[in-house]
Amino acid sequence: GAGVSQSPRYKVAKRGQDVALRCDPISGHVSLFWYQQALGQGPEFLTYFQNEAQLDKSGLPSDRFFAERPEGSVSTLKIQRTQQEDSAVYLCASRRTGGALEQYFGPGTRLTVT
Amino acid sequence: EDQVTQSPEALRLQEGESSSLNCSYTVSGLRGLFWYRQDPGKGPEFLFTLYSAGEEKEKERLKATLTKKESFLHITAPKPEDSATYLCAVAGQGAQKLVFGQGTRLTINP
C-alpha cells in the first residue's frame, strides 16, 4: 500500500524566507510525528499530533517553527524567517492505533537555507 | 532524559563477515526499542520492535536482541546490499516520541 509521502523533496530557501513542508501520512494512521535530521545524525523529535490535536510540541526549536494538521490527515510544517541553522532533512512519520508503537517514515524534505 | 548511544559510528566488513552493532540506552520505563535501516537520501525503514529483555527478532540476515541496558543487531554473512546506516531508537514510559541514536554506518565490501 501507499506509504508516507512528503513534498517537496528538496527546498532551497534564502535566509529570511518562509517555507511550508507537507506530509501525507499512511491512510488511517491517527498519529503523526515530525523529526529533524542533521547530516550524520539521528532524527530528533519536533512535534506530535493525534488526529488534529497537537499533543506535544516540546521539540520545536523556536517560535519560528509551526505545525498544523487541521483535518487530522495531511500535516504542514511551517518555518518562518528561515536561518542557516534550519538546514536539515525534515522527516514525517505516522503510526497506526491499537497499541503498535513503530512509526513509518516518509522520504523526507531536504531544506537548504542559503 | 532518555538517551541512546550507538557503536561503532562506522563499520566496514567484507562480504560474508558476520558482526554486531551495539545500542546502549537509558530510559525511564522502556515501552519499546526499535531498529531502523536508512539508505542515503531516504527515510528510515522500520526493521524491528523489541519490548522486553530477552526478546529476539530475526529477519533474513539480521537478528536483534535486547537486554535491560543494550540491544545488539547481529548481521550474519552480510551482502553488499546490507550497506546502510542502522538507527536504534527508544520509546520511554508516557512518551510518544522516539529518541534516536546517531546511527552506525555499515559498509559491506564485495
Side-chain angles (χ1 to χ4, degrees):
Chain A
V4 178
S5 61
Q6 293 186 245
S7 60
R9 290 295 317 279
Y10 304 92
K11 177 70 178 178
V12 178
K14 291 186 177 179
R15 192 173 59 182
Q17 284 184 332
D18 298 348
V19 298
L21 313 180
R22 177 187 169 107
C23 172
D24 281 88
I26 295 172
S27 177
H29 278 200
V30 169
S31 300
L32 185 146
F33 301 80
W34 285 98
Y35 292 83
Q36 180 189 62
Q37 187 174 27
L39 191 63
Q41 301 297 313
E44 291 194 359
F45 170 77
L46 294 176
T47 188
Y48 156 61
F49 290 86
Q50 183 168 307
N51 295 305
E52 68 278 4
Q54 189 175 20
L55 298 184
D56 187 350
K57 53 183 181 179
S58 62
L60 295 177
S62 77
D63 58 9
R64 296 186 296 104
F65 287 71
F66 172 76
E68 61 183 4
R69 194 186 185 199
E71 297 179 357
S73 179
V74 170
S75 177
T76 303
L77 177 67
K78 297 179 180 178
I79 308 173
Q80 298 177 324
R81 305 181 303 280
T82 52
Q83 304 294 315
Q84 282 195 316
E85 60 263 28
D86 300 335
S87 296
V89 174
Y90 291 85
L91 295 164
C92 176
S94 69
R95 187 184 72 194
R96 66 176 193 267
T97 56
L101 298 178
E102 58 268 15
Q103 298 177 18
Y104 295 90
F105 284 81
T109 294
R110 179 176 296 278
L111 173 65
T112 303
V113 182
T114 61
Chain B
E1 183 180 336
D2 300 342
Q3 284 191 315
V4 177
T5 303
Q6 294 186 245
S7 61
E9 288 190 8
L11 181 62
R12 283 187 177 271
L13 300 172
Q14 290 297 121
E15 184 172 1
E17 180 185 2
S18 301
S19 189
S20 296
L21 313 183
N22 178 263
C23 170
S24 297
Y25 65 92
T26 55
V27 65
S28 53
L30 181 70
R31 296 174 66 210
L33 183 141
F34 309 84
W35 283 97
Y36 286 85
R37 169 190 172 131
Q38 187 172 29
D39 292 296
K42 296 189 176 182
E45 175 190 348
F46 171 73
L47 294 174
F48 304 109
T49 306
L50 300 169
Y51 294 99
S52 58
E55 189 175 1
E56 299 183 351
K57 289 203 175 161
E58 286 189 67
K59 180 180 179 179
E60 296 181 357
R61 295 175 292 282
L62 299 176
K63 183 168 86 170
T65 62
L66 180 65
T67 73
K68 288 187 177 180
K69 293 183 179 180
E70 57 193 349
S71 176
F72 292 93
L73 185 65
H74 307 277
I75 182 161
T76 302
K79 299 181 177 182
E81 54 262 41
D82 296 321
S83 297
T85 295
Y86 289 85
L87 295 164
C88 174
V90 296
Q93 199 67 36
Q96 301 297 323
K97 67 181 181 183
L98 298 183
V99 175
F100 282 86
Q102 80 277 22
T104 293
R105 190 172 64 255
L106 178 65
T107 304
I108 309 298
N109 296 314

